[in-house]
């Protein structure tokens, strides 16, 4: 029987995966801005590349860590554990969130270096106003509802493609451009580019994302019932399913959704 990946390996997967996501988001934005002065064309290119990259990253890292890549997703997993389901413990959730934030910042720096820019230059694009914060609440709530809904209805194998498609759409239908990720938002403040966000806009966006995460959880509970799955997990967790029937909460906090990743790709 194969052992579950250690917390350090899962944290590394979250760090590298989130770094890769930021490289894709910021790098595609920089390339799009280079090739076209039309903002609409640039956004089409950026959203298309971001969606594809996100889906591939979830597929690659899902079997290791669940590919949360997002502190809000990690917090929903922690909450599932708190309410008697499968998910991450408090220490694991904290390690995941730190790894995601570090990875996001690192990915932003790598993207800038690739395009010959000075790394670590803070973004100057201020994104404020209540309408943008509402957009972030809606974007994050929809993301959490999607993940939770697929997990609770036994269709977690659809998560990679569904999340990628949702983000591609939400970039267009939300006023904020659907950051929907506190770690990613922090990372994007380290790049003064097409996809950047000024540091002074971070508190509002991150706060709105946390509110959206809570709203998404509430909607999932309303629509699907309390549920026991977090919608995310690690592949190794599926190998211990029979053991978990005797011991409900595993030490490493996995989720039954992990088995889905075995068939993706």
């Amino acid at each position: 029987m194969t052992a579950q990946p250690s917390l350090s390996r899962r944290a590394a997967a979250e760090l590298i995966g989130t770094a890769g996501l930021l490289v894709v988001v910021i790098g595609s934005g920089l390339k799009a801005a280079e090739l076209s002065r039309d903002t609409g064309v640039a956004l089409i290119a950026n959203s298309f590349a971001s969606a594809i990259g996100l889906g591939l990253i979830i597929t690659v890292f899902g079997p290791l860590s669940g590919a949360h890549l997002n502190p809000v997703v990690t917090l929903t997993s922690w909450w599932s554990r708190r309410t008697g389901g499968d998910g991450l413990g408090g220490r694991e959730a904290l390690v995941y969130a730190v790894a995601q934030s570090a990875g996001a910042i690192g990915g932003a720096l790598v993207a800038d270096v690739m395009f010959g820019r000075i790394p670590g230059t803070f973004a100057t694009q201020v994104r404020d106003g209540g309408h943008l914060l509402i957009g972030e609440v809606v974007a994050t709530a929809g993301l959490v509802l999607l993940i939770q809904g697929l997990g609770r209805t036994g269709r977690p194998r659809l998560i990679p493609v569904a999340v990628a498609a949702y983000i591609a759409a939400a970039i267009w239908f939300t006023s904020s451009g659907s950051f929907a990720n506190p770690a990613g938002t922090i990372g994007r403040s380290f790049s003064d580019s097409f996809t950047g966000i000024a540091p002074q806009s971070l508190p509002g966006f991150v706060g709105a994302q946390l509110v959206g995460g809570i709203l998404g959880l509430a909607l999932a509970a309303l629509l699907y019932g309390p549920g026991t799955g977090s919608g995310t997990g690690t592949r190794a967790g599926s190998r211990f399913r029979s053991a978990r029937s005797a011991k409900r909460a595993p030490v490493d906090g996995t989720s039954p959704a992990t088995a889905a990743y075995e068939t993706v790709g």
Side-chain angles (χ1 to χ4, degrees), residues 67-211:
H68 294 190
L69 315 175
N70 185 334
V72 168
V73 176
T74 294
L75 286 173
T76 62
S77 178
W78 169 79
W79 181 253
S80 293
R81 177 76 170 267
R82 290 268 300 177
T83 53
D86 296 296
L88 297 176
R91 175 172 172 268
E92 292 171 306
L94 177 60
V95 171
Y96 267 47
V98 171
Q100 291 155 0
S101 299
I105 294 171
L109 300 180
V110 170
D112 274 344
V113 169
M114 279 201 308
F115 284 86
R117 298 164 62 89
I118 298 175
T121 302
F122 287 118
T124 56
Q125 186 171 354
V126 177
R127 301 175 188 263
D128 56 16
H131 65 294
L132 296 182
L133 300 184
I134 291 174
E136 277 302 285
V137 171
V138 170
T140 312
L143 175 63
V144 171
L145 178 59
L146 174 67
I147 295 172
Q148 290 287 317
L150 290 174
R152 296 184 188 197
T153 56
R155 297 175 295 164
R157 70 184 61 193
L158 298 177
I159 287 176
V161 65
V163 169
Y166 174 80
I167 291 299
I171 287 173
W172 284 91
F173 75 70
T174 61
S175 57
S176 63
S178 184
F179 284 48
N181 182 337
T185 303
I186 293 170
R188 286 162 72 164
S189 72
F190 281 81
S191 176
D192 190 16
S193 61
F194 176 72
T195 58
I197 177 172
Q200 59 263 41
S201 299
L202 290 179
F205 264 58
V206 172
Q209 291 156 2
L210 294 175
V211 170

